[in-house]
Amino acid sequence: MTSRVNIIGGGLAGSEAAWQVAEMGVDVCLHEMRPYVKTFAHQTGDFAEMVCSNSFRSDDHEQSAVGQLHWEMRAATGLIMSAADMHRLPAGGALAVDRSLFSKYISEKLRSHSRVTVVNAEVTALPSSGNWICATGPLTSDRLGESIRAITGRKELAFYDAIAPIVYQETIDMNVAWNQSRYDKGESKAERTAYINCPLSRDQYETFVDTLLKAEKTQFHSNEPVNYFDGCLPIEVMAERGRETLRFGPMKPVGLTNIHKPHEKPYAVVQLRRDNTLGTLYNIVGFQTKMKHNAQKTVFRTIPGLENTSFARLGGIHRNTFINSPKLLDSELKLNNYPWIRFAGQITGVEGYVESAAIGLIAGRLAAADMLGIELTIPPVTTATGALLYHITSGAHSDTFQPMNINFGLFPKIEGVSAGRKGRKERYKAYTEKAKSAWRAWLNDQEYKYSLT
């Protein structure tokens, strides 16, 4: 077991990790339970089967964060991007693929690789030694899930996400909103100003509730009952219990003073909480929702100060399995106190096919480096991959951690670049140019270290 890297899960993350390990000259065993143990979503036993969509989203590597992630994975000779490019379909500026041909190609490449061994069997427990990557995704089997819970703690493995929207800080109108924690709580100025508050008059509140109640909602198709915890009720469910419920819940106006109108008490207040270390993203507090995405944009833009806001992530409630990575993983994706186990892919709390594969790429390289006895640095936070990795291991707050797509809000700000919506193209181009330069330097450093082995 110790002479090879073992990977649990043959999804996009596990497949990419296996490819990276093998291409670095290290033997790898890929454990995939399908087709003998099925999931409700997968149809085949092929690796990297895409079940929700055939799109990798925007392929614009100058103006799109996910496009920059595509570019980085291509530069790192990633198997997932190679397969996507070979089997892409016309989709405008997006990268869409033929799902069947895509997964068959990846399966053939891995099964024919001289350093890859495939075992089609369920891994039911996390191992006690060796060099392992757990990349089982949101559909982790029940028995393995129990093993992960036993090690990480029951509260650290989520099965239903109650997700609130996240907005870009720079698109909040601070001529209307203001920074203040409730009752000015906090020992430092940063803590006392960690929240942004949007005030509503009575009429504005009534309009918000009316729009919310009429909004189109997502319906669950599973036979499994959806039991909401009182602490994470969808806002529309709260509103259905009474028009004033929100004012006594997440929209209570107490302990706050509007600096723009200090003598005018708001009827209700929407609070946004800083969601990352950089302060570029803010979570709308208590606003988990099952509204459809277009409906969310309409409803939330009725809130004063958010009329022109841009969303880094929209809200939702759905069944999922992911660990509290900022609390449980170190910067190299190793599980605290169990350094022979790394996690990769969606189970780490990244959202999206490309993001999952990118974390698989890094996990595979790091695991292979351990076998080769060489020390590899993690990618700089100025790259798309490094920004995503930093977010799930250090940048996000563990007490509010939820799955996240790559977006420019995860990148460190660049001094001297225009802020706001008008300077967006210039700013995005600056992000991607800096990311490309940093990624090239990182790859060159890795290749030099490989050549020494």
Side-chain angles (χ1 to χ4, degrees):
M1 288 289 187
T2 56
S3 63
R4 67 188 184 190
V5 174
N6 288 273
I7 299 173
I8 311 172
L12 276 79
S15 297
E16 186 63 67
W19 180 257
Q20 295 295 326
V21 172
E23 287 293 283
M24 285 177 64
V26 175
D27 291 337
V28 57
C29 183
L30 182 56
H31 303 258
E32 171 53 56
M33 67 182 186
R34 293 179 295 113
Y36 303 110
V37 180
K38 300 180 183 296
T39 76
F40 74 89
H42 293 91
Q43 302 298 315
T44 75
D46 289 336
F47 298 133
E49 181 182 344
M50 299 170 69
V51 298
C52 298
S53 168
N54 73 333
S55 177
F56 281 26
R57 312 194 312 279
S58 173
D59 202 33
D60 184 346
H61 60 83
E62 292 187 348
Q63 290 292 310
S64 162
V66 72
Q68 174 61 31
L69 198 58
H70 293 174
W71 185 95
E72 292 175 11
M73 293 177 69
R74 288 184 178 112
T77 61
L79 176 61
I80 297 302
M81 289 309 303
S82 173
D85 289 335
M86 186 168 294
H87 300 291
R88 71 185 301 159
L89 300 172
L95 173 57
V97 304
D98 181 308
R99 281 192 278 200
S100 177
L101 295 178
F102 170 83
S103 59
K104 287 183 184 301
Y105 173 84
I106 291 171
S107 299
E108 290 169 3
K109 293 290 286 185
L110 289 173
R111 290 183 181 277
S112 64
H113 200 293
S114 62
R115 290 196 174 275
V116 178
T117 300
V118 175
V119 174
N120 286 114
E122 181 185 4
V123 175
T124 59
L126 289 177
S128 58
S129 64
N131 188 338
W132 290 77
I133 298 172
C134 182
T136 49
L139 301 179
T140 299
S141 69
D142 291 341
R143 288 189 288 182
L144 183 58
E146 284 296 326
S147 175
I148 296 172
R149 275 200 300 274
I151 289 177
T152 62
R154 290 195 166 270
K155 293 182 179 179
E156 307 308 335
L157 187 67
F159 283 93
Y160 272 95
D161 337 357
I163 301 177
I166 291 177
V167 305
Y168 291 102
Q169 183 276 335
E170 64 190 13
T171 65
I172 301 171
D173 186 353
M174 296 306 293
N175 292 315
V176 175
W178 76 96
N179 289 98
Q180 185 189 7
S181 64
R182 206 178 295 279
Y183 298 108
D184 294 308
K185 288 184 178 179
E187 296 181 1
S188 66
K189 182 179 179 181
E191 292 173 333
R192 292 191 296 273
T193 58
Y195 289 82
I196 292 176
N197 304 281
C198 299
L200 290 85
S201 67
R202 181 166 190 158
D203 287 345
Q204 289 167 333
Y205 176 78
E206 296 292 345
T207 298
F208 172 79
V209 172
D210 287 339
T211 310
L212 174 64
L213 292 173
K214 294 175 184 176
E216 191 175 7
K217 318 297 192 301
T218 298
Q219 301 300 318
F220 293 101
H221 298 293
S222 169
N223 292 326
E224 182 178 317
V226 179
N227 297 315
Y228 301 117
F229 293 105
D230 283 342
C232 60
L233 285 172
I235 54 170
E236 56 271 16
V237 173
M238 284 188 271
E240 288 166 359
R241 294 181 175 183
R243 296 187 67 85
E244 292 291 286
T245 303
L246 291 171
R247 285 190 65 238
F248 290 90
M251 297 178 70
K252 57 182 178 290
V254 300
L256 299 164
T257 302
N258 185 348
I259 62 170
H260 306 297
K261 299 178 180 179
H263 302 297
E264 185 176 308
K265 184 175 176 58
Y267 188 74
V269 171
V270 172
Q271 280 203 312
L272 298 93
R273 179 178 52 230
R274 184 170 172 165
D275 199 72
N276 66 342
T277 303
L278 300 173
T280 53
L281 302 173
Y282 275 73
N283 184 299
I284 309 182
V285 178
F287 270 42
Q288 53 273 1
T289 179
K290 59 178 182 177
M291 283 186 288
K292 292 190 173 181
H293 283 181
N294 285 336
Q296 289 184 46
K297 293 176 183 178
T298 299
V299 172
F300 297 141
R301 284 174 177 158
T302 67
I303 298 169
L306 302 185
E307 294 93 340
N308 298 304
T309 198
S310 294
F311 296 88
R313 183 189 73 197
L314 288 160
I317 296 178
H318 60 280
R319 191 181 189 278
N320 199 355
T321 301
F322 66 98
I323 61 172
N324 192 337
S325 291
K327 185 174 182 178
L328 298 173
L329 303 183
D330 69 10
S331 62
E332 295 186 358
L333 298 165
K334 292 180 179 179
L335 184 61
N336 294 340
N337 301 319
Y338 299 84
W340 57 91
I341 302 171
R342 282 185 169 87
F343 280 81
Q346 271 191 277
I347 198 168
T348 66
V350 295
E351 192 73 65
Y353 289 132
V354 181
E355 290 87 341
S356 298
I359 299 301
L361 185 153
I362 295 302
R365 288 192 170 218
L366 290 169
D370 284 350
M371 300 298 296
L372 295 170
I374 58 178
E375 184 178 349
L376 297 188
T377 58
I378 60 176
V381 71
T382 51
T383 65
T385 308
L388 190 64
L389 180 64
Y390 173 75
H391 178 75
I392 63 173
T393 58
S394 306
H397 296 300
S398 61
D399 58 343
T400 58
F401 183 63
Q402 293 288 346
M404 173 69 79
N405 290 114
I406 185 64
N407 62 80
F408 285 121
L410 302 182
F411 289 61
K413 290 182 178 179
I414 299 176
E415 296 297 328
V417 177
S418 301
R421 294 174 67 88
K422 290 184 178 179
R424 182 170 54 190
K425 287 188 177 181
E426 176 191 355
R427 186 171 68 261
Y428 290 176
K429 183 71 177 298
Y431 283 137
T432 56
E433 287 181 348
K434 189 168 186 176
K436 288 178 175 64
S437 177
W439 186 254
R440 289 190 190 99
W442 181 77
L443 282 180
N444 289 338
D445 181 58
Q446 311 311 300
E447 290 169 4
Y448 171 72
K449 288 178 179 177
Y450 300 161
S451 68
L452 298 180
T453 61

